[in-house]
């Protein structure tokens, strides 16, 4: 039997350049990651080998150039790069990075219940990493809990630079917004999106302040279990909801164990004005100073023995460790639940779904870079053999982990450096697509056709789907009527 290996189905023992695959670690829309070691050196340190799913994927070229500019203990170290020859006309770029033995931030917090001092130290490490990134005229553009790995020794590492860029880098998509995760977008980014979504040539230029705002969202969710409501939400304006966008509740009001110093740091990062957030160095120094000078109160566990529960009401809540955003608008109310139950029960999830449709609210919090049905903060796949730590967030290119490998790379797009990779919604209905009226839940009338929106997915969309206003859609086709075998009388 011929071994038809594809980029996302390499087996243990397979050679990729000088690296021998040991185990599969994770998979995203654009890349698969394996644990590997240098062939002939079984005692060498393991590495994370990230393989492009699509041949000639320019995202890998960009990530390699970006990582080669950055050096910091809280940033992944690039060790090697090359091309894997899958066939005569199919070459897949790959990157080799250090193996980070950490867990995603939210999972780490759920398991270890950190103190304020531990969180402040971790914030300082990530802020220093962002300072290095920004001083090199680079941007991460997808800072979030799933892309921050915490090692057993306490080192926090900012990973997954697949959405990153640097000043002057050619664009790879023709979207208004750069690839990132929607709940972490800054107010200025959302305002730009709303004001320019009709302009095909418009491009939002992310700035260091966007990375810092995303860090603020990450901290807010870490200590409260909730995403803060966006300062500006174009989808809500479009839908003309009667109720206003909820205001952000200060972190210390949702969690009384949040000390004023940490709460002030979070509020600074979430400031409406980008200039008020400062720079990475200032955030790092403030966090370090607070961690050093706070007394014993900073060593109290942040999550405590009780946590706020999610109840369907205007707002939004995600319980600590919940792998996906809520399906309904919600806020935290003073209802107590047992500490060993870190996520809402299934009955409560059903209530959230019912509340969602009862309010006729179309959720806009699908996370970027995940497949339909996947959550935004999916943890990395475990290595296949026992005792192997998680891949340190290097398994994808700005996208969440999929639980299953793709069967084949047949039909994968071939792109060159600078080539646009996107699939926008067409200006007119497709052949066989249903025309208005578009009746049914989840159906929208767009450009004269009926489209179904995927609530749990946001760009980059699947190959067969289309992007429109920061969401993924599929055409709703007219079903052919079955023929009858009976003769007419």
């Amino acid at each position: 039997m011929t071994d038809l290996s594809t980029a996302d189905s390499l087996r243990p023992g397979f050679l990729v350049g000088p690296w021998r695959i040991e185990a599969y670690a994770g998979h995203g829309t654009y890349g698969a990651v394996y644990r590997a070691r240098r062939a002939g050196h079984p005692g060498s340190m393991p590495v994370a080998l990230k393989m492009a799913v699509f041949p000639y994927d320019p995202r890998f070229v960009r990530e390699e150039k970006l990582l080669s500019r950055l050096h910091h203990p809280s940033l992944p170290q690039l060790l090697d790069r090359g091309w894997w020859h899958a066939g005569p006309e199919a070459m897949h770029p790959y990157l080799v990075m250090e193996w980070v033995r950490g867990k995603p931030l939210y999972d780490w917090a759920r398991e270890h219940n950190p103190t304020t001092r531990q969180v402040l130290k971790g914030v300082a490490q990530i802020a220093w990493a962002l300072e290095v990134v920004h001083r090199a005229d680079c941007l991460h553009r997808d800072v979030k809990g799933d892309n921050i790995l915490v090692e057993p020794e306490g080192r926090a590492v900012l990973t997954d630079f697949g959405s990153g860029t640097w000043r002057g880098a050619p664009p790879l998509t023709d979207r208004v917004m750069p690839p990132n995760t929607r709940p972490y977008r800054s107010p200025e980014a959302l305002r730009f999106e709303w004001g320019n979504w009709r302009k095909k040539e418009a491009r939002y230029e992310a700035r260091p302040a966007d990375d810092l705002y995303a860090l603020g969202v990450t901290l807010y969710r870490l200590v409260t279990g909730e995403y803060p409501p966006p300062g500006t939400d174009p989808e809500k304006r479009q839908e003309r909801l009667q109720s206003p966008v909820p205001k952000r509740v200060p972190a210390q009001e949702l969690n009384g164990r949040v000390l004023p110093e940490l709460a002030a740091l979070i509020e600074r990062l979430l400031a409406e004005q980008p200039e008020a957030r400062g720079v990475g160095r200032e955030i790092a120094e403030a966090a370090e100073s607070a961690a050093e000078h706070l007394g014993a109160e900073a060593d109290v566990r942040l999550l405590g023995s009780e946590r706020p529960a999610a109840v369907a009401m205007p707002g939004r809540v995600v319980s600590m460790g919940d792998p996906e955003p809520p399906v309904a608008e919600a806020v935290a109310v003073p209802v107590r639940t047992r500490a060993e139950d870190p996520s809402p029960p299934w009955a409560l999830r059903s209530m959230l779904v019912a509340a969602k449709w009862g309010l006729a609210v179309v959720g806009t919090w699908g996370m970027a870079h995940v497949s339909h049905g996947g959550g935004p903060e999916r943890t990395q796949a475990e290595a296949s053999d026992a005792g192997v730590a998680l891949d340190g967030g290097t398994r994808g290119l700005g996208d969440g982990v999929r639980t299953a490998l793709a069967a084949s790379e047949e039909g994968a797009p071939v792109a060159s450096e600078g080539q646009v990779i996107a699939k926008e919604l067409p200006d007119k209905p497709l052949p066989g697509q249903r025309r208005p009226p578009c009746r049914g839940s989840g159906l929208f009338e767009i450009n004269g056709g009926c489209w179904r929106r995927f609530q749990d997915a946001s760009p980059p969309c699947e190959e067969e789907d289309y992007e429109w206003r920061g969401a993924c859609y599929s055409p709703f086709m007219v079903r052919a009527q079955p023929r009858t075998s009976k003769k007419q009388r």
Side-chain angles (χ1 to χ4, degrees):
M1 179 180 295
T2 303
D3 184 11
L4 299 177
S5 297
T6 59
D8 51 8
S9 65
L10 303 183
R11 299 176 180 177
F14 196 94
L15 279 176
V16 178
W19 307 98
R20 187 177 300 278
I21 301 297
E22 286 190 343
Y24 166 77
H27 183 250
T29 305
Y30 304 113
V33 169
Y34 304 88
R35 194 185 79 249
R37 295 181 195 267
R38 185 173 291 276
H41 299 270
S44 60
M45 295 295 293
V47 297
L49 189 149
K50 182 189 296 187
M51 176 72 70
V53 172
F54 302 138
Y56 309 102
D57 194 333
R59 298 176 183 87
F60 277 67
V61 177
R62 165 171 290 184
E63 185 172 7
E64 180 266 321
K65 291 182 178 179
L66 193 153
L67 289 176
S68 65
R69 303 180 178 200
L70 307 175
H71 302 280
H72 188 269
S74 288
L75 295 173
Q77 181 182 0
L78 180 66
L79 303 175
D80 191 19
R81 80 274 190 219
W83 295 84
W84 175 59
H85 296 253
E89 299 180 358
M91 295 176 62
H92 296 252
Y94 68 85
L95 303 175
V96 177
M97 289 165 284
E98 65 171 317
W99 183 268
V100 181
R101 299 180 299 109
K103 289 189 176 182
L105 179 65
Y106 302 144
D107 292 343
W108 171 81
R110 186 183 68 245
E111 294 182 13
H112 297 277
N113 193 1
T115 65
T116 294
R117 201 183 311 276
Q118 289 175 317
V119 170
L120 286 169
K121 290 181 178 179
V123 172
Q125 294 179 54
I126 299 302
W128 279 123
L130 286 175
E131 174 72 11
V132 171
V133 171
H134 298 158
R135 282 190 178 183
D137 283 334
C138 299
L139 295 170
H140 187 281
R141 298 199 302 185
D142 200 20
V143 177
K144 58 183 180 181
D146 198 37
N147 289 338
I148 296 175
L149 278 295
V150 184
E151 292 188 320
E153 298 81 7
R155 180 176 70 134
V157 183
L158 178 62
T159 66
D160 199 344
F161 279 77
S163 296
T165 189
W166 64 87
R167 187 187 300 273
L172 298 182
T173 68
D174 61 357
R175 308 183 184 108
V176 173
M177 302 302 298
N180 55 20
T181 305
R182 187 175 186 82
Y184 297 83
R185 286 181 184 173
S186 67
E188 60 269 25
L190 290 171
R191 284 193 294 268
F192 183 92
E193 181 182 21
W194 172 247
N196 296 274
W197 66 269
R198 290 181 180 273
K199 303 174 184 178
K200 292 186 176 181
E201 71 282 359
R203 300 290 181 272
Y204 178 72
E205 285 193 29
R207 296 184 293 172
D210 291 274
D211 281 346
L212 293 176
Y213 183 86
L215 179 59
V217 174
T218 302
L219 285 177
Y220 189 95
R221 183 182 178 225
L222 176 69
V223 301
T224 69
E226 301 183 22
Y227 286 112
T232 303
D233 195 329
E235 290 288 342
K236 289 186 178 298
R237 289 188 178 185
Q238 175 193 342
E239 292 160 10
R240 299 178 181 179
L241 296 182
Q242 297 299 319
S243 58
V245 176
K247 293 184 178 180
R248 182 175 67 251
V249 179
Q252 65 269 33
E253 293 187 20
L254 296 177
N255 183 350
R257 291 175 172 82
V258 176
L259 297 180
E261 291 79 1
L262 178 56
L265 197 64
I266 294 173
E267 287 299 308
R268 179 178 182 178
L269 289 167
L270 295 178
E272 176 75 15
Q273 298 301 323
E275 297 77 13
R277 298 169 204 155
V279 296
R281 174 182 55 80
E282 296 171 347
I283 299 299
E285 291 175 347
E288 288 176 340
S289 177
E292 180 181 355
H293 295 99
L294 283 174
E297 69 275 12
D299 297 316
V300 176
R301 299 293 176 180
L302 267 171
L303 302 186
S305 59
E306 294 179 325
R307 304 175 187 177
V311 177
M313 291 180 63
R316 180 175 316 276
V317 67
V318 177
S319 294
M320 188 67 67
D322 193 350
E324 58 187 32
V327 294
E329 304 293 322
V331 293
V333 296
V335 177
R336 299 295 186 178
T337 183
R338 299 180 61 187
E340 60 266 22
D341 183 15
S343 59
W346 289 111
L348 185 55
R349 289 182 181 270
S350 299
M351 291 171 58
L352 292 175
V353 174
K356 174 188 177 71
W357 294 113
L359 294 172
V361 176
V362 179
T364 61
W365 287 72
M367 308 283 277
H369 314 303
V370 296
S371 60
H372 300 157
E377 301 288 352
R378 305 290 293 275
T379 59
Q380 298 160 307
E382 295 281 359
S384 61
D385 55 341
V388 176
L390 291 170
D391 166 34
T394 57
R395 81 282 180 204
L397 290 171
D399 54 280
V401 173
R402 288 181 177 175
T403 57
L405 291 174
S408 171
E409 64 180 8
E410 182 179 359
V414 176
S416 58
E417 177 75 38
Q419 180 175 344
V420 169
I421 301 177
K423 190 175 181 181
E424 289 191 340
L425 191 138
D427 296 331
K428 60 183 179 180
L430 300 172
Q433 185 177 1
R434 176 175 291 183
R435 310 296 177 92
C438 306
R439 298 188 178 93
S441 61
L443 291 184
F444 296 83
E445 177 185 343
I446 308 173
N447 295 342
C450 296
W451 295 83
R452 184 181 302 280
R453 185 168 79 176
F454 295 95
Q455 304 293 347
D456 55 357
S458 58
C461 307
E462 295 295 326
E463 184 177 355
E464 67 273 12
D465 300 331
Y466 295 80
E467 176 190 346
W468 191 66
R469 299 188 189 179
C472 298
Y473 292 80
S474 67
F476 191 78
M477 311 304 288
V478 177
R479 289 183 293 181
Q481 298 294 327
R483 295 179 177 271
T484 177
S485 58
K486 295 182 179 180
K487 295 182 179 180
Q488 296 182 352
R489 296 183 177 179

